[in-house]
Coordinates of all heavy atoms in Angstrom, one line a residue:
M1 N 10.1 -21.9 -1.0 CA 9.5 -20.9 -1.9 C 8.5 -21.6 -2.9 O 7.6 -20.9 -3.2 CB 10.7 -20.2 -2.6 CG 10.2 -19.1 -3.5 SD 9.4 -17.7 -2.7 CE 10.6 -17.3 -1.4
E2 N 8.9 -22.8 -3.2 CA 8.0 -23.5 -4.2 C 6.6 -23.6 -3.7 O 5.6 -23.5 -4.4 CB 8.6 -24.8 -4.6 CG 9.9 -24.8 -5.3 CD 11.1 -24.7 -4.3 OE1 10.9 -25.2 -3.1 OE2 12.1 -24.3 -4.7
R3 N 6.5 -23.9 -2.4 CA 5.1 -24.1 -1.8 C 4.3 -22.8 -1.8 O 3.1 -22.8 -2.0 CB 5.3 -24.6 -0.4 CG 5.8 -26.1 -0.4 CD 6.0 -26.6 0.9 NE 4.8 -26.9 1.5 CZ 4.6 -27.4 2.8 NH1 5.7 -27.6 3.5 NH2 3.4 -27.6 3.3
I4 N 5.0 -21.7 -1.6 CA 4.3 -20.4 -1.6 C 3.9 -20.0 -3.0 O 2.7 -19.6 -3.2 CB 5.3 -19.2 -1.1 CG1 5.5 -19.4 0.4 CG2 4.7 -17.9 -1.4 CD1 6.5 -18.4 1.0
V5 N 4.7 -20.3 -4.0 CA 4.4 -20.0 -5.4 C 3.2 -20.8 -5.9 O 2.4 -20.4 -6.6 CB 5.6 -20.1 -6.3 CG1 5.3 -20.0 -7.7 CG2 6.7 -19.1 -5.9
A6 N 3.2 -22.1 -5.4 CA 2.2 -23.0 -5.9 C 0.9 -23.0 -5.1 O -0.2 -23.5 -5.6 CB 2.7 -24.5 -5.8
A7 N 0.8 -22.3 -4.0 CA -0.4 -22.3 -3.2 C -1.5 -21.5 -3.8 O -1.3 -20.5 -4.5 CB 0.0 -21.6 -1.8
D8 N -2.7 -22.0 -3.5 CA -3.9 -21.3 -4.0 C -4.2 -20.1 -3.1 O -4.8 -19.1 -3.6 CB -5.2 -22.2 -3.9 CG -5.0 -23.4 -4.9 OD1 -4.5 -23.2 -6.0 OD2 -5.6 -24.5 -4.6
A9 N -3.9 -20.2 -1.9 CA -4.1 -19.1 -0.9 C -3.0 -19.2 0.1 O -2.4 -20.2 0.3 CB -5.5 -19.3 -0.2
I10 N -2.8 -18.1 0.8 CA -1.7 -18.0 1.8 C -2.3 -17.4 3.1 O -3.0 -16.3 3.0 CB -0.5 -17.2 1.3 CG1 0.1 -17.8 0.1 CG2 0.5 -17.1 2.4 CD1 1.2 -17.0 -0.5
A11 N -2.0 -17.9 4.2 CA -2.5 -17.4 5.5 C -1.2 -17.1 6.3 O -0.4 -18.0 6.5 CB -3.4 -18.3 6.2
F12 N -1.1 -15.8 6.7 CA 0.0 -15.5 7.6 C -0.5 -15.2 9.0 O -1.6 -14.7 9.1 CB 0.7 -14.2 7.1 CG 1.4 -14.4 5.8 CD1 0.9 -13.9 4.6 CD2 2.6 -15.0 5.7 CE1 1.5 -14.1 3.4 CE2 3.3 -15.2 4.5 CZ 2.7 -14.7 3.3
A13 N 0.3 -15.5 10.0 CA -0.1 -15.3 11.4 C 1.1 -14.6 12.1 O 2.3 -15.1 11.9 CB -0.5 -16.5 12.1
T14 N 0.9 -13.6 12.8 CA 2.0 -12.9 13.6 C 1.5 -12.3 14.8 O 0.3 -11.7 14.8 CB 2.6 -11.9 12.7 OG1 3.7 -11.3 13.3 CG2 1.7 -10.8 12.3
P15 N 2.3 -12.3 15.8 CA 2.0 -11.4 17.0 C 2.4 -10.0 16.6 O 3.2 -9.8 15.8 CB 2.8 -12.0 18.1 CG 4.0 -12.6 17.4 CD 3.4 -13.1 16.1
I16 N 1.7 -9.0 17.2 CA 2.1 -7.6 17.0 C 2.9 -7.1 18.2 O 2.4 -7.3 19.3 CB 0.8 -6.8 16.8 CG1 0.0 -7.3 15.6 CG2 1.1 -5.3 16.7 CD1 0.6 -7.2 14.3
Y17 N 4.1 -6.6 17.9 CA 4.9 -6.1 19.0 C 5.1 -4.6 18.7 O 5.6 -4.3 17.7 CB 6.3 -6.8 19.0 CG 6.2 -8.3 19.3 CD1 6.7 -9.2 18.4 CD2 5.6 -8.8 20.5 CE1 6.6 -10.6 18.7 CE2 5.6 -10.1 20.8 CZ 6.1 -11.0 19.8 OH 6.1 -12.3 20.1
F18 N 4.8 -3.7 19.7 CA 5.0 -2.3 19.5 C 4.4 -1.8 18.2 O 5.1 -1.1 17.4 CB 6.5 -1.9 19.6 CG 7.0 -2.3 21.0 CD1 7.8 -3.5 21.1 CD2 6.7 -1.6 22.1 CE1 8.3 -3.8 22.3 CE2 7.2 -2.0 23.3 CZ 8.0 -3.1 23.5
F19 N 3.2 -2.3 17.8 CA 2.4 -1.8 16.7 C 3.0 -2.3 15.3 O 2.6 -1.8 14.3 CB 2.3 -0.3 16.6 CG 1.7 0.3 17.9 CD1 2.4 0.8 18.9 CD2 0.3 0.3 18.0 CE1 1.8 1.3 20.0 CE2 -0.3 0.8 19.1 CZ 0.4 1.3 20.1
E20 N 3.9 -3.3 15.4 CA 4.5 -3.8 14.2 C 4.4 -5.4 14.2 O 4.3 -6.0 15.2 CB 5.9 -3.4 14.1 CG 6.2 -1.9 14.0 CD 5.7 -1.3 12.7 OE1 5.5 -2.0 11.7 OE2 5.5 -0.1 12.7
M21 N 4.5 -5.9 13.0 CA 4.5 -7.4 12.9 C 5.8 -7.9 13.5 O 6.8 -7.1 13.6 CB 4.4 -7.8 11.4 CG 5.7 -7.6 10.6 SD 5.6 -8.2 8.9 CE 4.8 -6.9 8.0
A22 N 5.9 -9.2 13.8 CA 7.1 -9.7 14.4 C 8.2 -9.7 13.4 O 8.0 -9.8 12.1 CB 6.8 -11.2 14.8
G23 N 9.4 -9.6 13.8 CA 10.6 -9.6 12.9 C 10.7 -10.8 12.0 O 11.1 -10.7 10.9
Q24 N 10.3 -11.9 12.6 CA 10.4 -13.2 11.8 C 9.4 -13.1 10.6 O 9.7 -13.6 9.5 CB 10.0 -14.4 12.7 CG 11.0 -14.7 13.7 CD 10.6 -14.0 15.1 OE1 10.0 -12.9 15.1 NE2 11.0 -14.6 16.2
M25 N 8.2 -12.5 10.8 CA 7.3 -12.3 9.7 C 7.9 -11.4 8.6 O 7.8 -11.7 7.4 CB 6.0 -11.8 10.2 CG 5.0 -11.5 9.1 SD 4.4 -13.0 8.3 CE 2.8 -13.0 8.8
K26 N 8.5 -10.3 9.0 CA 9.1 -9.4 8.1 C 10.2 -10.0 7.3 O 10.3 -9.9 6.1 CB 9.6 -8.1 8.9 CG 10.3 -7.1 8.0 CD 9.4 -6.5 7.0 CE 10.1 -5.3 6.3 NZ 10.2 -5.5 4.8
T27 N 11.0 -10.8 8.0 CA 12.1 -11.6 7.3 C 11.5 -12.6 6.3 O 12.0 -12.7 5.2 CB 12.9 -12.3 8.3 OG1 13.5 -11.4 9.2 CG2 14.0 -13.1 7.6
L28 N 10.4 -13.3 6.7 CA 9.8 -14.2 5.7 C 9.3 -13.4 4.5 O 9.5 -13.9 3.3 CB 8.6 -14.9 6.4 CG 7.7 -15.7 5.4 CD1 8.5 -17.0 5.0 CD2 6.5 -16.1 6.1
L29 N 8.6 -12.3 4.7 CA 8.1 -11.5 3.5 C 9.3 -11.0 2.7 O 9.2 -11.1 1.4 CB 7.3 -10.3 4.0 CG 6.0 -10.7 4.7 CD1 5.3 -9.5 5.3 CD2 5.1 -11.5 3.8
D30 N 10.4 -10.5 3.3 CA 11.5 -10.1 2.5 C 12.1 -11.2 1.7 O 12.5 -11.0 0.6 CB 12.6 -9.5 3.5 CG 12.2 -8.2 4.1 OD1 11.2 -7.6 3.6 OD2 12.9 -7.8 5.0
R31 N 12.1 -12.4 2.3 CA 12.7 -13.5 1.6 C 11.8 -14.1 0.5 O 12.2 -15.0 -0.2 CB 13.2 -14.6 2.6 CG 14.4 -14.0 3.3 CD 15.0 -15.1 4.2 NE 16.1 -14.5 4.9 CZ 16.8 -15.1 5.9 NH1 16.4 -16.3 6.3 NH2 17.8 -14.5 6.5
S32 N 10.6 -13.7 0.5 CA 9.6 -14.2 -0.5 C 9.7 -13.4 -1.8 O 9.0 -13.6 -2.7 CB 8.2 -14.2 0.0 OG 7.7 -12.9 0.2
N33 N 10.6 -12.5 -1.9 CA 10.8 -11.6 -3.1 C 10.9 -12.4 -4.3 O 10.3 -12.0 -5.4 CB 12.0 -10.7 -2.9 CG 12.0 -9.6 -3.9 OD1 11.3 -9.6 -4.9 ND2 12.9 -8.6 -3.7
P34 N 11.6 -13.6 -4.4 CA 11.6 -14.3 -5.6 C 10.3 -14.8 -6.2 O 10.1 -15.1 -7.3 CB 12.5 -15.5 -5.3 CG 13.4 -15.0 -4.2 CD 12.5 -14.1 -3.4
A35 N 9.3 -14.9 -5.3 CA 8.0 -15.3 -5.7 C 7.4 -14.3 -6.7 O 6.5 -14.6 -7.5 CB 7.0 -15.5 -4.5
Y36 N 7.7 -13.0 -6.6 CA 7.2 -12.0 -7.4 C 7.4 -12.3 -8.9 O 6.5 -12.2 -9.7 CB 7.8 -10.6 -7.0 CG 7.3 -9.5 -7.9 CD1 6.1 -8.9 -7.6 CD2 8.1 -8.9 -8.9 CE1 5.6 -7.9 -8.4 CE2 7.6 -7.9 -9.7 CZ 6.3 -7.4 -9.4 OH 5.9 -6.3 -10.2
A37 N 8.7 -12.7 -9.2 CA 9.0 -13.0 -10.7 C 8.5 -14.4 -11.1 O 8.5 -14.7 -12.3 CB 10.5 -12.9 -10.8
A38 N 8.1 -15.2 -10.1 CA 7.7 -16.6 -10.5 C 6.2 -16.7 -10.8 O 5.8 -17.8 -11.0 CB 8.0 -17.5 -9.3
D39 N 5.5 -15.6 -11.0 CA 4.1 -15.7 -11.3 C 3.3 -16.6 -10.4 O 2.9 -17.7 -10.8 CB 3.9 -16.1 -12.8 CG 2.4 -15.9 -13.2 OD1 1.7 -15.0 -12.6 OD2 2.0 -16.6 -14.1
P40 N 3.2 -16.3 -9.1 CA 2.6 -17.2 -8.1 C 1.2 -17.5 -8.4 O 0.5 -16.7 -9.0 CB 2.8 -16.5 -6.8 CG 3.0 -15.1 -7.2 CD 3.6 -15.0 -8.5
A41 N 0.7 -18.7 -8.0 CA -0.6 -19.1 -8.2 C -1.6 -18.5 -7.2 O -2.8 -18.4 -7.5 CB -0.7 -20.6 -8.1
F42 N -1.1 -18.1 -6.0 CA -2.0 -17.6 -5.0 C -2.8 -16.4 -5.4 O -2.3 -15.5 -6.1 CB -1.4 -17.5 -3.6 CG -0.3 -16.4 -3.6 CD1 -0.7 -15.1 -3.3 CD2 1.0 -16.7 -3.7 CE1 0.3 -14.0 -3.3 CE2 2.0 -15.7 -3.7 CZ 1.6 -14.4 -3.4
R43 N -4.1 -16.4 -5.0 CA -4.9 -15.2 -5.2 C -5.4 -14.6 -3.9 O -5.4 -13.4 -3.8 CB -6.2 -15.6 -6.0 CG -5.8 -16.2 -7.4 CD -5.2 -15.2 -8.3 NE -4.9 -15.7 -9.6 CZ -3.7 -16.1 -10.1 NH1 -2.7 -16.0 -9.3 NH2 -3.6 -16.5 -11.3
D44 N -5.7 -15.4 -3.0 CA -6.2 -14.9 -1.7 C -5.2 -15.0 -0.6 O -4.4 -15.9 -0.4 CB -7.4 -15.8 -1.2 CG -8.6 -15.7 -2.2 OD1 -8.6 -14.7 -3.0 OD2 -9.4 -16.6 -2.2
V45 N -5.1 -13.9 0.1 CA -4.1 -13.8 1.3 C -4.9 -13.4 2.5 O -5.8 -12.6 2.5 CB -3.1 -12.6 1.0 CG1 -2.2 -12.5 2.2 CG2 -2.3 -12.9 -0.3
Y46 N -4.6 -14.1 3.6 CA -5.3 -13.9 4.9 C -4.3 -13.6 5.9 O -3.1 -14.0 5.8 CB -6.0 -15.2 5.3 CG -7.0 -15.7 4.4 CD1 -6.7 -16.6 3.3 CD2 -8.4 -15.3 4.5 CE1 -7.7 -17.0 2.4 CE2 -9.3 -15.8 3.7 CZ -9.0 -16.6 2.6 OH -9.9 -17.0 1.7
L47 N -4.7 -12.8 6.9 CA -3.8 -12.4 8.0 C -4.5 -12.6 9.3 O -5.6 -12.2 9.5 CB -3.4 -10.9 7.9 CG -2.5 -10.4 9.0 CD1 -1.2 -11.1 9.0 CD2 -2.4 -8.9 9.0
L48 N -3.8 -13.3 10.2 CA -4.2 -13.5 11.6 C -3.2 -12.8 12.5 O -2.0 -13.1 12.3 CB -4.2 -15.0 11.9 CG -5.0 -15.9 10.9 CD1 -4.7 -17.4 11.2 CD2 -6.5 -15.6 10.9
A49 N -3.6 -12.0 13.3 CA -2.7 -11.2 14.2 C -3.2 -11.1 15.6 O -4.4 -11.0 15.8 CB -2.5 -9.8 13.6
T50 N -2.3 -11.2 16.5 CA -2.6 -11.1 18.0 C -1.8 -10.0 18.6 O -0.7 -9.7 18.1 CB -2.4 -12.4 18.7 OG1 -1.0 -12.7 18.6 CG2 -3.2 -13.5 18.2
A51 N -2.3 -9.4 19.7 CA -1.5 -8.4 20.4 C -1.8 -8.6 21.9 O -3.0 -8.9 22.3 CB -1.9 -7.0 20.0
A52 N -0.8 -8.4 22.7 CA -1.0 -8.4 24.2 C -1.9 -7.2 24.6 O -2.7 -7.3 25.5 CB 0.3 -8.4 24.9
D53 N -1.7 -6.1 23.9 CA -2.5 -4.9 24.2 C -3.9 -5.1 24.1 O -4.4 -5.8 23.2 CB -2.0 -3.8 23.3 CG -2.4 -2.4 23.7 OD1 -3.4 -2.2 24.4 OD2 -1.7 -1.5 23.4
E54 N -4.7 -4.5 25.0 CA -6.2 -4.6 24.9 C -6.8 -3.6 23.9 O -8.0 -3.7 23.6 CB -6.8 -4.4 26.3 CG -6.6 -5.6 27.2 CD -7.4 -6.8 26.9 OE1 -8.3 -6.8 26.1 OE2 -7.0 -7.9 27.5
D55 N -6.0 -2.7 23.4 CA -6.5 -1.6 22.6 C -6.4 -2.1 21.1 O -5.3 -2.5 20.6 CB -5.6 -0.4 22.8 CG -6.1 0.9 22.0 OD1 -7.0 0.7 21.2 OD2 -5.6 2.0 22.4
A56 N -7.5 -2.0 20.4 CA -7.5 -2.4 19.0 C -6.6 -1.5 18.1 O -6.2 -2.0 17.0 CB -8.9 -2.3 18.4
H57 N -6.1 -0.4 18.6 CA -5.2 0.5 17.8 C -3.8 -0.2 17.7 O -3.0 0.2 16.9 CB -5.1 1.8 18.5 CG -6.3 2.7 18.3 ND1 -6.7 3.1 17.0 CD2 -7.2 3.1 19.2 CE1 -7.8 3.8 17.2 NE2 -8.1 3.8 18.5
A58 N -3.6 -1.2 18.5 CA -2.3 -2.0 18.4 C -2.2 -2.5 17.0 O -1.1 -2.8 16.5 CB -2.3 -3.1 19.4
F59 N -3.3 -2.7 16.2 CA -3.2 -3.2 14.9 C -3.1 -2.2 13.8 O -3.1 -2.5 12.6 CB -4.4 -4.1 14.6 CG -4.5 -5.3 15.6 CD1 -5.4 -5.3 16.6 CD2 -3.6 -6.3 15.5 CE1 -5.5 -6.3 17.5 CE2 -3.6 -7.4 16.4 CZ -4.6 -7.4 17.4
D60 N -3.1 -0.9 14.1 CA -3.0 0.1 13.1 C -1.8 0.0 12.2 O -1.9 0.2 11.0 CB -3.0 1.5 13.8 CG -4.3 1.9 14.4 OD1 -5.3 1.2 14.2 OD2 -4.3 2.9 15.1
G61 N -0.7 -0.4 12.7 CA 0.5 -0.6 11.9 C 0.3 -1.8 10.9 O 0.9 -1.9 9.9
R62 N -0.5 -2.8 11.3 CA -0.7 -3.9 10.5 C -1.3 -3.6 9.1 O -1.0 -4.2 8.1 CB -1.7 -4.9 11.2 CG -2.0 -6.1 10.4 CD -3.4 -6.7 10.7 NE -4.4 -5.8 11.0 CZ -5.3 -5.3 10.1 NH1 -5.2 -5.5 8.9 NH2 -6.3 -4.5 10.5
R63 N -2.1 -2.6 9.1 CA -2.7 -2.1 7.8 C -1.7 -1.7 6.9 O -1.7 -2.0 5.7 CB -3.7 -1.0 8.1 CG -5.0 -1.4 8.8 CD -5.9 -0.3 9.1 NE -7.1 -0.7 9.8 CZ -7.1 -0.7 11.1 NH1 -6.0 -0.4 11.8 NH2 -8.2 -1.1 11.8
R64 N -0.7 -1.0 7.4 CA 0.5 -0.6 6.5 C 1.3 -1.8 6.1 O 1.8 -1.9 5.0 CB 1.3 0.4 7.3 CG 2.5 1.0 6.5 CD 3.3 2.0 7.4 NE 3.9 1.3 8.5 CZ 3.5 1.5 9.8 NH1 2.5 2.4 10.1 NH2 4.0 0.9 10.8
D65 N 1.5 -2.8 7.0 CA 2.3 -3.9 6.8 C 1.7 -4.8 5.6 O 2.4 -5.5 4.9 CB 2.4 -4.8 8.0 CG 3.1 -4.2 9.1 OD1 3.9 -3.2 8.9 OD2 2.9 -4.6 10.3
C66 N 0.4 -4.7 5.4 CA -0.2 -5.5 4.4 C -0.1 -5.0 3.0 O -0.6 -5.6 2.0 CB -1.7 -5.8 4.7 SG -1.9 -6.8 6.2
K67 N 0.5 -3.8 2.8 CA 0.6 -3.2 1.5 C 1.5 -4.1 0.6 O 1.3 -4.0 -0.6 CB 1.3 -1.8 1.6 CG 0.4 -0.8 2.3 CD -0.9 -0.5 1.5 CE -0.6 0.2 0.2 NZ -1.7 0.4 -0.6
W68 N 2.3 -5.0 1.1 CA 3.1 -5.8 0.2 C 2.2 -6.7 -0.7 O 2.6 -7.1 -1.8 CB 4.0 -6.7 1.1 CG 3.3 -7.8 1.8 CD1 2.8 -7.7 3.1 CD2 3.0 -9.1 1.3 NE1 2.2 -8.9 3.4 CE2 2.3 -9.8 2.3 CE3 3.2 -9.8 0.1 CZ2 1.8 -11.1 2.2 CZ3 2.7 -11.1 0.0 CH2 2.0 -11.7 1.0
V69 N 1.0 -7.0 -0.3 CA 0.1 -7.8 -1.1 C -0.1 -7.1 -2.5 O -0.3 -7.7 -3.5 CB -1.2 -8.0 -0.4 CG1 -2.2 -8.7 -1.3 CG2 -1.0 -8.8 0.9
D70 N -0.1 -5.8 -2.5 CA -0.3 -5.0 -3.7 C 0.8 -5.3 -4.7 O 0.5 -5.0 -5.9 CB -0.4 -3.5 -3.4 CG -1.6 -3.1 -2.6 OD1 -2.6 -4.0 -2.5 OD2 -1.6 -2.1 -2.0
C71 N 1.9 -5.8 -4.3 CA 3.0 -6.1 -5.3 C 2.6 -7.2 -6.2 O 3.2 -7.4 -7.3 CB 4.3 -6.4 -4.5 SG 4.9 -5.0 -3.6
F72 N 1.7 -8.1 -5.8 CA 1.3 -9.2 -6.5 C -0.1 -8.9 -7.2 O -1.1 -8.8 -6.5 CB 1.2 -10.4 -5.7 CG 2.5 -10.9 -5.1 CD1 2.9 -10.5 -3.8 CD2 3.3 -11.7 -5.8 CE1 4.1 -10.8 -3.3 CE2 4.5 -12.1 -5.3 CZ 4.9 -11.7 -4.0
E73 N -0.1 -8.5 -8.5 CA -1.3 -8.1 -9.2 C -2.5 -9.0 -9.0 O -3.6 -8.6 -9.0 CB -1.0 -7.8 -10.6 CG 0.0 -6.6 -10.8 CD 0.2 -6.4 -12.3 OE1 -0.5 -6.9 -13.1 OE2 1.2 -5.7 -12.6
Q74 N -2.2 -10.3 -9.0 CA -3.2 -11.3 -8.9 C -3.8 -11.5 -7.5 O -4.8 -12.1 -7.3 CB -2.8 -12.6 -9.5 CG -2.0 -13.5 -8.6 CD -0.6 -13.0 -8.2 OE1 -0.1 -12.0 -8.7 NE2 0.1 -13.7 -7.3
A75 N -3.1 -11.0 -6.5 CA -3.4 -11.3 -5.1 C -4.3 -10.2 -4.5 O -4.2 -9.0 -4.9 CB -2.2 -11.5 -4.3
R76 N -5.0 -10.6 -3.5 CA -5.8 -9.6 -2.7 C -5.9 -10.1 -1.3 O -6.0 -11.3 -1.0 CB -7.2 -9.4 -3.3 CG -8.0 -10.7 -3.3 CD -9.2 -10.6 -4.3 NE -9.7 -11.9 -4.4 CZ -10.9 -12.3 -3.9 NH1 -11.7 -11.4 -3.3 NH2 -11.3 -13.5 -4.0
L77 N -5.9 -9.1 -0.4 CA -6.1 -9.4 1.1 C -7.6 -9.6 1.3 O -8.4 -8.7 1.1 CB -5.5 -8.3 1.9 CG -5.6 -8.5 3.4 CD1 -4.7 -9.7 3.8 CD2 -5.2 -7.2 4.1
V78 N -8.0 -10.8 1.5 CA -9.4 -11.1 1.6 C -10.0 -11.4 3.0 O -11.2 -11.4 3.2 CB -9.8 -12.3 0.7 CG1 -9.6 -12.0 -0.8 CG2 -9.1 -13.6 1.1
G79 N -9.0 -11.5 3.9 CA -9.5 -11.8 5.3 C -8.5 -11.4 6.3 O -7.3 -11.7 6.2
V80 N -8.9 -10.8 7.4 CA -8.1 -10.4 8.5 C -8.8 -10.7 9.8 O -10.0 -10.3 9.9 CB -7.7 -8.9 8.5 CG1 -6.9 -8.5 9.7 CG2 -7.0 -8.5 7.2
V81 N -8.2 -11.4 10.7 CA -8.7 -11.6 12.0 C -7.6 -11.1 13.0 O -6.5 -11.5 12.9 CB -9.0 -13.1 12.3 CG1 -9.5 -13.3 13.7 CG2 -10.1 -13.6 11.3
T82 N -8.1 -10.3 13.9 CA -7.2 -9.7 15.0 C -7.8 -10.1 16.3 O -9.0 -10.2 16.5 CB -7.0 -8.2 14.9 OG1 -8.3 -7.6 15.0 CG2 -6.4 -7.9 13.6
A83 N -6.9 -10.3 17.3 CA -7.3 -10.6 18.7 C -6.4 -9.8 19.7 O -5.2 -10.0 19.6 CB -7.2 -12.1 18.9
T84 N -7.1 -9.0 20.5 CA -6.3 -8.3 21.5 C -6.3 -9.1 22.8 O -7.0 -10.1 23.0 CB -7.0 -6.9 21.8 OG1 -8.3 -7.2 22.2 CG2 -7.0 -6.0 20.6
G85 N -5.4 -8.7 23.7 CA -5.3 -9.4 25.0 C -4.8 -10.8 25.0 O -5.0 -11.6 25.9
V86 N -4.0 -11.1 24.0 CA -3.4 -12.4 23.8 C -1.9 -12.2 24.2 O -1.1 -11.8 23.5 CB -3.5 -12.9 22.4 CG1 -2.9 -14.3 22.3 CG2 -5.0 -13.0 22.0
D87 N -1.7 -12.5 25.5 CA -0.4 -12.2 26.1 C 0.4 -13.4 26.7 O 1.4 -13.2 27.3 CB -0.5 -11.1 27.1 CG -1.4 -11.5 28.3 OD1 -2.0 -12.6 28.2 OD2 -1.6 -10.8 29.2
A88 N -0.2 -14.6 26.5 CA 0.5 -15.8 27.1 C 0.0 -17.0 26.3 O -1.0 -17.0 25.7 CB 0.1 -15.9 28.6
P89 N 0.8 -18.1 26.4 CA 0.3 -19.3 25.8 C -1.1 -19.7 26.3 O -1.4 -19.6 27.5 CB 1.3 -20.3 26.2 CG 2.6 -19.6 26.5 CD 2.1 -18.2 27.1
G90 N -2.0 -20.0 25.4 CA -3.3 -20.4 25.7 C -4.3 -19.3 25.9 O -5.5 -19.5 26.0
A91 N -3.8 -18.0 25.8 CA -4.7 -16.9 26.0 C -5.7 -16.7 24.9 O -6.8 -16.2 25.1 CB -3.9 -15.6 26.1
I92 N -5.4 -17.2 23.7 CA -6.4 -17.1 22.6 C -7.6 -17.9 22.9 O -8.7 -17.6 22.4 CB -5.7 -17.6 21.3 CG1 -6.6 -17.2 20.1 CG2 -5.5 -19.1 21.3 CD1 -6.7 -15.7 19.9
E93 N -7.6 -18.9 23.8 CA -8.7 -19.7 24.1 C -9.8 -18.9 24.8 O -11.0 -19.3 24.8 CB -8.3 -20.9 25.0 CG -7.4 -21.9 24.3 CD -6.8 -22.9 25.2 OE1 -7.2 -23.0 26.3 OE2 -5.9 -23.6 24.7
K94 N -9.5 -17.7 25.3 CA -10.5 -16.8 25.9 C -11.1 -16.0 24.8 O -12.0 -15.2 25.1 CB -9.8 -15.9 26.9 CG -9.2 -16.7 28.1 CD -8.5 -15.8 29.0 CE -7.8 -16.6 30.1 NZ -6.9 -15.8 30.9
R95 N -10.6 -16.0 23.6 CA -11.1 -15.2 22.5 C -11.8 -16.1 21.5 O -11.4 -16.1 20.3 CB -9.9 -14.5 21.8 CG -9.1 -13.6 22.8 CD -9.9 -12.5 23.3 NE -9.1 -11.5 24.0 CZ -9.6 -10.6 24.7 NH1 -10.9 -10.4 24.8 NH2 -8.8 -9.8 25.4
L96 N -12.8 -16.9 21.9 CA -13.4 -17.8 21.0 C -14.1 -17.1 19.8 O -14.2 -17.7 18.7 CB -14.5 -18.6 21.8 CG -13.9 -19.6 22.8 CD1 -15.0 -20.4 23.5 CD2 -12.9 -20.6 22.1
H97 N -14.6 -15.9 19.9 CA -15.2 -15.2 18.8 C -14.1 -15.1 17.7 O -14.4 -15.4 16.5 CB -15.7 -13.8 19.2 CG -16.2 -13.0 18.1 ND1 -17.4 -13.3 17.4 CD2 -15.7 -12.0 17.4 CE1 -17.6 -12.5 16.4 NE2 -16.6 -11.6 16.4
E98 N -12.9 -14.7 18.0 CA -11.9 -14.5 17.0 C -11.4 -15.9 16.4 O -11.2 -16.0 15.2 CB -10.7 -13.8 17.5 CG -10.9 -12.3 17.8 CD -11.6 -12.0 19.1 OE1 -12.0 -12.9 19.8 OE2 -11.7 -10.8 19.4
V99 N -11.4 -16.9 17.3 CA -11.0 -18.2 16.8 C -12.0 -18.7 15.8 O -11.7 -19.3 14.8 CB -10.8 -19.2 18.0 CG1 -10.7 -20.6 17.5 CG2 -9.7 -18.8 18.9
N100 N -13.3 -18.5 16.1 CA -14.4 -19.0 15.2 C -14.4 -18.2 13.9 O -14.6 -18.7 12.9 CB -15.7 -18.9 15.9 CG -15.9 -20.0 17.0 OD1 -15.3 -21.1 16.8 ND2 -16.6 -19.7 18.0
R101 N -14.1 -16.9 14.0 CA -14.0 -16.1 12.8 C -12.9 -16.6 11.9 O -13.0 -16.7 10.6 CB -13.7 -14.6 13.1 CG -14.9 -13.9 13.6 CD -14.6 -12.4 13.8 NE -14.1 -11.8 12.6 CZ -13.1 -10.9 12.6 NH1 -12.6 -10.5 13.8 NH2 -12.7 -10.4 11.5
A102 N -11.7 -17.0 12.4 CA -10.6 -17.5 11.7 C -11.0 -18.9 11.1 O -10.7 -19.2 9.9 CB -9.4 -17.7 12.5
R103 N -11.7 -19.7 11.8 CA -12.1 -21.0 11.4 C -13.1 -20.9 10.2 O -12.9 -21.6 9.2 CB -12.7 -21.8 12.5 CG -13.1 -23.2 12.2 CD -13.6 -24.0 13.3 NE -12.5 -24.2 14.3 CZ -12.6 -23.8 15.6 NH1 -13.7 -23.3 16.1 NH2 -11.6 -24.1 16.4
L104 N -14.0 -20.0 10.3 CA -15.0 -19.8 9.2 C -14.3 -19.2 8.0 O -14.7 -19.5 6.9 CB -16.1 -18.9 9.7 CG -17.1 -19.5 10.7 CD1 -18.0 -18.4 11.3 CD2 -17.8 -20.7 10.2
M105 N -13.4 -18.3 8.2 CA -12.7 -17.7 7.1 C -11.9 -18.8 6.3 O -11.9 -18.8 5.1 CB -11.7 -16.7 7.6 CG -11.1 -15.8 6.6 SD -10.2 -14.3 7.3 CE -9.0 -15.1 8.3
G106 N -11.4 -19.7 7.0 CA -10.7 -20.8 6.4 C -11.6 -21.8 5.7 O -11.1 -22.5 4.7
C107 N -12.8 -21.8 6.0 CA -13.8 -22.7 5.3 C -14.5 -22.0 4.2 O -15.3 -22.5 3.5 CB -14.9 -23.1 6.3 SG -14.3 -24.2 7.6
G108 N -14.1 -20.7 3.9 CA -14.7 -19.9 2.8 C -16.0 -19.4 3.1 O -16.8 -19.0 2.2
V109 N -16.4 -19.3 4.4 CA -17.7 -18.7 4.8 C -17.6 -17.3 5.0 O -16.8 -16.7 5.5 CB -18.2 -19.4 6.1 CG1 -19.5 -18.8 6.6 CG2 -18.3 -20.9 5.9

């Protein structure tokens, strides 16, 4: 928890299953509740999400999932990269556009 509270920025990554974030991601967010009272340093929040589905609507639930950022007055969701058709290890390598977008986002470009 100390690392989350002290971070300048936070990047979360999750696969999307049945239009929702992975259960592990939801558990992490639920357990980060103590950060709320700790006046965290982070300002920028990024989200990287993949889905096996080829339809971009697979990420519609993700928009709702990001509402938790609003709980932190100082924070804002500044970057989102999504990639469809990622259904097996190494499949993201076929999505170089998304990989490069994530890389550039991490560089502040």
